Amino acid sequence: MSASSPDSRPPSIGRRTLLGAAAVATPAVLGVATPAAAAPSPAAATSARKKPRALPGGGDLGPNVIVFDPSTPGIQARLDQVFRQQESAQFGTGRYALLFKPGTYNGLNAQLGFYTSIAGLGLSPDDTTINGDVTVDAGWFNGNATQNFWRSAENLALVPVNGTNRWAVAQAAPFRRMHVRGGLNLSPTGYGWASGGYIADSRIDGQVGPYSQQQWYTRDSAIGSWLNGVWNMVFSGVEGAPAQSFPNPPYTTLSTTPISREKPFLYLQGNDYRVFLPEKRTNARGVTWGNGTPRGTSLPLSQFYVARPGVSAATLNQALAEGLHLLLTPGIYHLDRPIQVNRAGTVVLGLGYATLIPDGGVTAVQVADVDGVRLAGFLVDAGPVNSATLLEIGPRGASRDHSANPTTVQDVFVRIGGAGAGKATTSMVINSRHTIVDHTWVWRADHGEGVGWETNRADYGVVVNGDDVLATGLFVEHFNKYDVQWNGQRGRTIFFQNEKAYDAPNQAAIQNGSTKGYAAYKVGDGVTTHEGWGLGSYCYYNVNPSIVQHHGFAAPVRSGVRFHNLLVVSLGGQGQYECVINDTGSPTSGTSTVPSTVVSYP
């Protein structure tokens, strides 16, 4: 079936591969940003190499950042135009950021399609109020929301028209720093399948209704109430969260988040753009805004190199070497060498799902073992030549203490295949100590173009070698071997969502020595201290439903290696788990899509 014209029958539990092949990639109607200038002549290029000219900071945000103020005419028509282009463009090239200056906007319904971000430009969400809705639904896919990826809402206050805003998203669709003066419905019209999602630093005055959502993570927020849970609902630092009750209802509730630092965001001070850098919090609970100026620092846009698609990796690295930060405006960037982030405190902030494609097998981004780097808001899309790694945080052997000022990786997403052929041995490697990975979706594509067991080969999703790393909101799916391999000491994960690779051809293809299959989440044999809360792994071996996966989770049996609230699920009996973690936990139950759970391990 084509995702752009799905079968009219009710969707099967089988989720994405069964539910549709590649969406038709629609051409960019509204225009993709082009290079700021033509390529220089050879003579000019030689001169530039001899005497590099300092690159300017600041500047125009480009044609795909659309800025509104309350007096802008035709706002709804412009929103609708972007949505028509992006609604079903799952693997298209359009990228958009819709930014609203502080003020009040009436009667709007901003429907969000693929690669579309909407955000307010105030210091607080309440500075920018929409009397209306920011809507994600699944009409494009016959009421099935499991492919509503790659879109975001940030820093707005909403007063929904009917009292409840609909946000029926799947992976890579953060809802950050939002104030909903009403309720929030996380399911599509008709309560079809849904597989999300992530909320942080947000206040929902009314009830949050997940309905059909299989899993969800909410961090450092405040809610009026929470309606229900399907498989795995996790809360940390959330005022109003339901009490701990896993597995029935499937709520994992931590009163605080051990360490958090909110994502950087663009805002206006008068007529000038700045980027706000929220401060680190320990034992965090509730939102960071609402009581005066938020805590943190800010940088003027003049300290950022405002990059446009078509700029070279050499120029991006020159800007970094000259002391500038990077603001990646919406579009697609091809890289012939890694972006090298070597300076402490560097910010690399993407708008509108700016997408980095490493060509020729290079790594897209490499971060030195330095304090306080902030990577946020961009997508890394593997190229057709295999990359050993796509994103590296710290070099191999990194050992410096960054506890006072950690590096954060937030809303940084990785994709291998789907938009075309792509390969990478390991997607994301975390070597630096104390790194915080706050919401990522690392995805070996199970549908789209360039998809097959060897076609978009990617053995490992996330490999953590650094000590004291914290992951909050970890989504990693479909890798040929381990989805997550955690070798560092004292690691912690709050919420994990995984599906094993659908497309394994036979049992031998996934065999891991004497073990049937590679665990979704593997803690290294030498690790003595590790902890995880609210972790789930699902299998859907639709190519060969006879495949058996021994367990979803593997870890050394030590008192310091602890897990809370684990589950494995066989989707419709397409493949089975024998255990949950190591040799513990009941097997999944035939064709019944019922989780097998372990509340505490060991």
Side-chain angles (χ1 to χ4, degrees):
M1 293 179 289
S2 167
S4 57
S5 55
D7 192 295
S8 60
R9 293 172 297 174
S12 155
I13 190 66
R15 288 196 64 209
R16 292 194 281 270
T17 295
L18 185 63
L19 295 171
V24 176
T26 54
V29 175
L30 300 177
V32 174
T34 54
S41 67
T46 301
S47 174
R49 283 196 298 271
K50 289 179 179 176
K51 189 177 181 181
R53 181 168 44 176
L55 295 168
D60 185 79
L61 298 180
N64 286 18
V65 176
I66 304 167
V67 182
F68 303 103
D69 66 46
S71 65
T72 302
I75 297 176
Q76 187 65 56
R78 189 71 167 113
L79 296 174
D80 292 346
Q81 183 185 18
V82 174
F83 178 66
R84 281 193 300 270
Q85 176 183 314
Q86 299 301 115
E87 180 183 12
S88 59
Q90 183 172 178
F91 299 112
T93 57
R95 303 285 187 273
Y96 292 94
L98 311 172
L99 305 182
F100 287 75
K101 294 182 180 181
T104 301
Y105 300 78
N106 295 313
L108 297 181
N109 181 17
Q111 299 182 80
L112 299 187
F114 288 97
Y115 314 109
T116 305
S117 297
I118 188 170
L121 287 170
L123 261 181
S124 165
D126 290 326
D127 293 341
T128 311
T129 298
I130 293 178
N131 288 309
D133 296 79
V134 172
T135 301
V136 178
D137 207 342
W140 74 279
F141 199 36
N142 196 36
N144 184 315
T146 61
Q147 294 184 25
N148 282 349
F149 316 135
W150 304 307
R151 62 202 75 196
S152 67
E154 298 185 50
N155 206 29
L156 292 165
L158 305 178
V159 184
V161 169
N162 70 356
T164 301
N165 189 79
R166 185 181 301 278
W167 185 254
V169 298
Q171 288 78 9
F175 196 82
R176 286 185 181 270
R177 202 176 169 79
M178 296 287 286
H179 185 188
V180 181
R181 298 176 192 163
L184 189 64
N185 182 345
L186 303 179
S187 72
T189 299
Y191 305 102
W193 301 117
S195 179
Y198 175 90
I199 294 171
D201 200 23
S202 293
R203 182 180 297 277
I204 293 90
D205 293 346
Q207 184 176 74
V208 180
Y211 299 103
S212 55
Q213 281 286 356
Q214 295 163 351
Q215 68 281 314
W216 201 276
Y217 175 50
T218 307
R219 178 181 64 71
D220 299 352
S221 294
I223 60 176
S225 61
W226 190 273
L227 179 64
N228 73 297
V230 177
W231 292 338
N232 190 30
M233 302 286 156
V234 180
F235 310 83
S236 68
V238 178
E239 297 170 355
Q244 168 71 38
S245 58
F246 187 91
N248 186 26
Y251 299 148
T252 298
T253 302
L254 287 73
S255 62
T256 61
T257 304
I259 307 168
S260 64
R261 189 174 67 192
E262 299 303 330
K263 178 185 172 187
F265 62 92
L266 194 67
Y267 74 104
L268 277 172
Q269 186 176 71
N271 294 320
D272 298 325
Y273 286 107
R274 299 182 69 89
V275 173
F276 194 81
L277 308 178
E279 71 171 19
K280 186 188 75 168
R281 297 199 291 170
T282 56
N283 298 318
R285 182 172 173 85
V287 300
T288 64
W289 48 271
N291 295 310
T293 303
R295 298 177 68 88
T297 58
S298 71
L299 297 169
L301 195 63
S302 60
Q303 292 186 23
F304 285 77
Y305 177 72
V306 179
R308 300 279 194 94
V311 69
S312 69
T315 298
L316 296 174
N317 284 331
Q318 182 186 340
L320 291 169
E322 291 176 1
L324 293 169
H325 307 274
L326 295 182
L327 186 72
L328 305 173
T329 64
I332 296 173
Y333 297 74
H334 282 269
L335 307 174
D336 63 355
R337 66 196 72 179
I339 296 173
Q340 299 278 0
V341 182
N342 296 324
R343 189 180 72 255
T346 299
V347 179
V348 179
L349 176 61
L351 301 179
Y353 287 81
T355 301
L356 308 177
I357 301 179
D359 294 325
V362 303
T363 299
V365 181
Q366 293 177 321
V367 179
D369 193 21
V370 294
D371 274 358
V373 171
R374 304 183 196 226
L375 307 182
F378 57 87
L379 170 65
V380 178
D381 204 355
V385 178
N386 185 73
S387 294
T389 59
L390 294 173
L391 177 66
E392 295 178 7
I393 309 300
R396 182 178 299 179
S399 59
R400 294 180 181 176
D401 185 323
H402 302 296
S403 56
N405 189 9
T407 285
T408 46
V409 182
Q410 299 177 284
D411 301 347
V412 173
F413 308 116
V414 178
R415 177 172 70 195
I416 302 96
K423 291 187 177 183
T425 303
T426 303
S427 294
M428 183 185 298
V429 180
I430 310 294
N431 292 318
S432 286
R433 294 180 62 194
H434 303 102
T435 298
I436 300 172
V437 180
D438 176 46
H439 189 228
T440 188
W441 184 39
V442 181
W443 184 55
R444 175 182 167 263
D446 59 86
H447 62 273
E449 295 182 13
V451 170
W453 183 250
E454 296 294 344
T455 307
N456 62 328
R457 180 88 193 184
D459 284 350
Y460 306 102
V462 176
V463 174
V464 180
N465 297 318
D467 295 340
D468 307 290
V469 171
L470 171 65
T472 52
L474 186 60
F475 299 74
V476 189
E477 297 188 295
H478 305 308
F479 286 84
N480 296 76
K481 293 185 178 178
Y482 292 124
D483 298 274
V484 172
Q485 184 168 0
W486 204 299
N487 302 317
Q489 298 288 356
R490 297 176 298 280
R492 292 176 288 185
T493 295
I494 304 173
F495 181 89
F496 171 67
Q497 186 263 330
N498 165 264
E499 288 179 356
K500 294 303 300 173
Y502 292 171
D503 54 349
N506 49 50
Q507 188 74 40
I510 67 162
Q511 193 69 14
N512 179 17
S514 61
T515 303
K516 297 173 185 174
Y518 288 80
Y521 189 107
K522 162 70 172 174
V523 178
D525 295 340
V527 173
T528 57
T529 306
H530 187 92
E531 196 159 9
W533 297 261
L535 282 65
S537 177
Y538 321 149
C539 75
Y540 182 69
Y541 287 115
N542 66 315
V543 171
N544 188 334
S546 69
I547 289 175
V548 175
Q549 175 86 22
H550 181 61
H551 47 217
F553 304 90
V557 183
R558 296 190 176 100
S559 60
V561 179
R562 297 176 292 174
F563 288 92
H564 315 272
N565 307 339
L566 302 173
L567 69 146
V568 296
V569 182
S570 169
L571 301 180
Q574 305 293 294
Q576 298 290 340
Y577 291 94
E578 293 179 326
C579 303
V580 178
I581 178 169
N582 294 343
D583 300 322
T584 298
S586 300
T588 50
S589 49
T591 58
S592 299
T593 305
V594 176
S596 180
T597 61
V598 168
V599 173
S600 181
Y601 185 86

